[in-house]
Amino acid sequence: KSKSISFDMVDKAMRGVLAKIESHLREASMSATQFGYLSIGDPALVRDLRSGRVLRPRTIDRVERFIERGRS
């Protein structure tokens, strides 16, 4: 049985990830380009997310781990 993921679920997940990133950018006084480069090696990450890019689960994990390391 295949798992079906709706567009709404993906959209909600990406908005949640982007909200975490935007909050981190404010808290850390970090540019979007710097965040993308330091978190996953992609300086266009935040710009692309703002434009609707969808991340793979593994990439979301990497981004969230980066944010958590910055808060500790």
Side-chain angles (χ1 to χ4, degrees), residues 24 56 69:
H24 182 75
R56 294 180 175 145
R69 283 194 309 266

Side-chain angles (χ1 to χ4, degrees), residues 18-47:
L18 184 56
K20 289 179 187 179
I21 291 170
E22 298 285 6
S23 176
H24 182 75
L25 294 179
R26 285 188 300 276
E27 292 170 10
S29 298
M30 182 180 290
S31 74
T33 302
Q34 184 180 28
F35 177 88
Y37 183 77
L38 293 174
S39 64
I40 67 165
D42 180 359
L45 171 69
V46 178
R47 182 195 67 211

Side-chain angles (χ1 to χ4, degrees), residues 3-71:
K3 294 182 181 180
S4 177
I5 299 175
S6 74
F7 174 78
D8 289 339
M9 291 172 61
V10 172
D11 184 55
K12 184 176 179 179
M14 290 305 102
R15 282 187 280 123
V17 170
L18 184 56
K20 289 179 187 179
I21 291 170
E22 298 285 6
S23 176
H24 182 75
L25 294 179
R26 285 188 300 276
E27 292 170 10
S29 298
M30 182 180 290
S31 74
T33 302
Q34 184 180 28
F35 177 88
Y37 183 77
L38 293 174
S39 64
I40 67 165
D42 180 359
L45 171 69
V46 178
R47 182 195 67 211
D48 291 350
L49 280 172
R50 289 171 177 160
S51 295
R53 177 176 172 181
V54 175
L55 301 179
R56 294 180 175 145
R58 187 171 135 196
T59 306
I60 294 170
D61 290 343
R62 288 174 62 195
V63 166
E64 290 179 340
R65 281 195 309 270
F66 177 81
I67 291 171
E68 286 305 313
R69 283 194 309 266
R71 290 184 177 150

